[in-house]
Amino acid sequence: MKLFQKKEQCCGCGACRDACPVDAIRMVQDREGFWYPQAAEDVCIRCGRCQAVCPIGKPAAGEEPRQYFGAKARENAVRFASSSGGVFPILAAYVLRRGGAVFGAGWGGHMEVLHQEAWTLEELDSLKQTKYVQSRMENVYRRIASLLREGRWILFCGTPCQAHALRLFLGGPQPRLLTAELVCYGAPSPGIWQDYVKLLERRHGGPLTGFSFRDKRNRDSGHTCSCQCGGREFAGSLNADLYCGMYFSNCMLRPSCHLCPYCTVNRGGDFTLGDFWGIEKLRPDDGMGNSLVILHTDKARAVWAEIRGELDWFPCKKDELLQPRLLGPTPTARGRKLFMAMRQILPGAALFFLFEKARKLAGLLRWVRRKDGME
């Protein structure tokens, strides 16, 4: 069975893999470094379960009226350990206190990003910060379904396509499931991330054991990248990091991300969480990270009433918190095809080297144009 016609029609959520009753589907990495499902024709029984759980082309709009808030953790330690305002760990602690589990993106072997489960505050630490890599989800859907059947509380935090796939996989209302969908810029290539891991390990002479895309050591909203490699720590500007530069240049996002239907407030989960960029237009801000929070369901509103005492928060209007990725998907870079073609023929280190040179040249050209405009 062919699971999709074009790569733009697959978001890589992996729900079809978990849904297959005969394990006929496996996730295979393509030449751009993304994971896609592949079905074994001789094993497939044509049950249609894979198509039923696929979120592509299925409406995900939730309940009305929605409520909109800005929020940050009252405890600075919670806020500094998070990429934005620290709402996620407070929401997670609510579930952990009820003997439940929290599922989010964490670091696996050789710094691969995997969705993992946490049952304690210590285990939660690895799930807190933003990871600019698409996470793998094998067996996560099955595991969550099993825990819900046991009567456990579950918080799932991930991209909106992953959360939508989870709801389709479960097939009906789940009173003890909370879904927190992120405001997602787009899913970057796991293969290119692994190339970067190898580059850092070769450059710094040892294994990469930690990486923070949004380090708040400078008491800001996370403009520093840091890593632990070869037993030493290295830190620098987020904008100067080569991998992040590729990410925000839009040249290594998954094809489906450029057509993403979830770049709207009309979502089907319980919560939407993201950075509250532009909060200074509404009220004084210390610049150390704030969250936007959208409540979509009665269940979310009930939980919010219990956790908001741990937050400094304020209500706002929809138009006041709208971010670019709540208005439309990230556009495709004009040079994406060339970039990915080069990725397929060049060693990873060479691709990063050329990208760095091209970025410096582009910066020089911008400087020249500014000088010309001044003369």
Side-chain angles (χ1 to χ4, degrees):
M1 174 180 289
K2 193 168 180 62
L3 297 169
F4 54 90
Q5 297 300 317
K6 300 178 180 179
K7 288 190 173 179
E8 292 85 349
Q9 298 172 332
C10 177
C11 64
C13 67
C16 55
R17 183 263 182 204
D18 272 20
C20 181
V22 293
D23 293 329
I25 298 174
R26 64 191 183 102
M27 301 299 288
V28 179
Q29 207 166 28
D30 76 345
R31 297 183 70 186
E32 293 185 348
F34 295 104
W35 296 97
Y36 288 90
Q38 187 177 92
E41 294 288 339
D42 58 335
V43 179
C44 175
I45 59 175
R46 307 313 195 265
C47 67
R49 176 68 177 150
C50 55
Q51 296 171 332
V53 302
C54 178
I56 299 296
K58 297 182 177 69
E63 300 177 14
E64 291 283 4
R66 294 179 174 85
Q67 291 179 281
Y68 307 90
F69 301 93
K72 62 184 179 183
R74 287 186 171 176
E75 292 187 18
N76 281 339
V78 174
R79 192 176 172 207
F80 293 150
S82 303
S83 295
S84 53
V87 174
F88 166 68
I90 290 175
L91 187 57
Y94 170 90
V95 171
L96 295 179
R97 288 194 296 269
R98 282 153 182 76
V102 177
F103 286 78
W107 298 111
H110 205 217
M111 297 301 289
E112 185 178 24
V113 178
L114 311 169
H115 250 70
Q116 302 169 5
E117 60 187 277
W119 292 88
T120 67
L121 292 175
E122 291 73 23
E123 292 174 343
L124 185 65
D125 284 343
S126 67
L127 310 185
K128 287 181 181 178
Q129 292 191 328
T130 294
K131 298 167 183 69
Y132 294 145
V133 189
Q134 185 172 28
S135 62
R136 297 188 67 177
M137 293 277 290
E138 282 92 331
N139 293 316
V140 171
Y141 301 96
R142 293 178 180 179
R143 175 63 173 161
I144 290 175
S146 175
L147 291 172
L148 288 170
R149 286 194 294 269
E150 294 176 9
R152 297 284 193 174
W153 276 89
I154 300 293
L155 169 62
F156 176 86
C157 183
T159 62
C161 55
Q162 292 172 334
H164 188 194
L166 175 60
R167 293 190 296 274
L168 292 171
F169 184 93
L170 297 172
Q174 301 290 334
R176 294 196 171 191
L177 171 68
L178 295 172
T179 56
E181 302 180 1
L182 303 173
V183 179
C184 180
Y185 186 84
S189 167
I192 293 178
W193 167 249
Q194 286 300 316
D195 291 341
Y196 193 50
V197 171
K198 294 174 184 176
L199 175 65
L200 291 176
E201 291 182 336
R202 184 164 63 251
R203 179 175 293 176
H204 298 306
L208 183 68
T209 56
F211 197 99
S212 174
F213 292 97
R214 298 274 301 280
D215 190 307
K216 289 186 177 180
R217 67 181 62 203
N218 294 323
R219 293 299 189 263
D220 55 21
S221 58
H223 301 301
T224 301
C225 270
S226 65
C227 69
Q228 294 76 48
C229 197
R232 294 178 294 164
E233 183 181 59
F234 304 87
S237 168
L238 171 68
N239 294 327
D241 183 79
L242 285 177
Y243 178 85
C244 291
M246 287 183 178
Y247 178 41
F248 290 113
S249 69
N250 303 347
C251 60
M252 66 165 181
L253 300 183
R254 193 177 185 94
S256 62
C257 294
H258 300 299
L259 301 172
C260 179
Y262 305 102
C263 293
T264 172
V265 298
N266 300 319
R267 300 180 175 194
D270 297 302
F271 296 86
T272 292
L273 303 177
D275 288 291
F276 200 135
W277 302 120
I279 192 173
E280 65 278 358
K281 299 175 184 177
L282 301 178
R283 55 184 55 213
D285 176 53
D286 60 10
M288 291 186 286
N290 291 268
S291 298
L292 66 81
V293 182
I294 306 176
L295 310 183
H296 298 276
T297 63
D298 288 338
K299 183 166 48 174
R301 284 183 275 273
V303 173
W304 178 256
E306 294 198 44
I307 68 170
R308 63 188 181 188
E310 301 175 61
L311 301 163
D312 288 328
W313 60 276
F314 63 95
C316 58
K317 299 176 182 178
K318 179 175 72 173
D319 293 344
E320 293 175 329
L321 58 61
L322 285 178
Q323 309 295 310
R325 298 291 74 82
L326 290 175
L327 294 170
T330 300
T332 308
R334 284 185 296 177
R336 186 188 187 282
K337 288 185 179 180
L338 175 61
F339 175 85
M340 284 300 184
M342 292 174 64
R343 196 261 169 179
Q344 294 171 29
I345 62 175
L346 293 175
L351 182 65
F352 282 102
F353 174 80
L354 289 177
F355 180 84
E356 184 175 29
K357 295 299 183 184
R359 187 164 64 168
K360 288 181 179 178
L361 177 60
L364 177 62
L365 290 174
R366 285 194 297 270
W367 180 82
V368 170
R369 292 191 187 103
R370 286 197 301 269
K371 295 291 286 186
D372 285 345
M374 293 170 61
E375 295 174 354

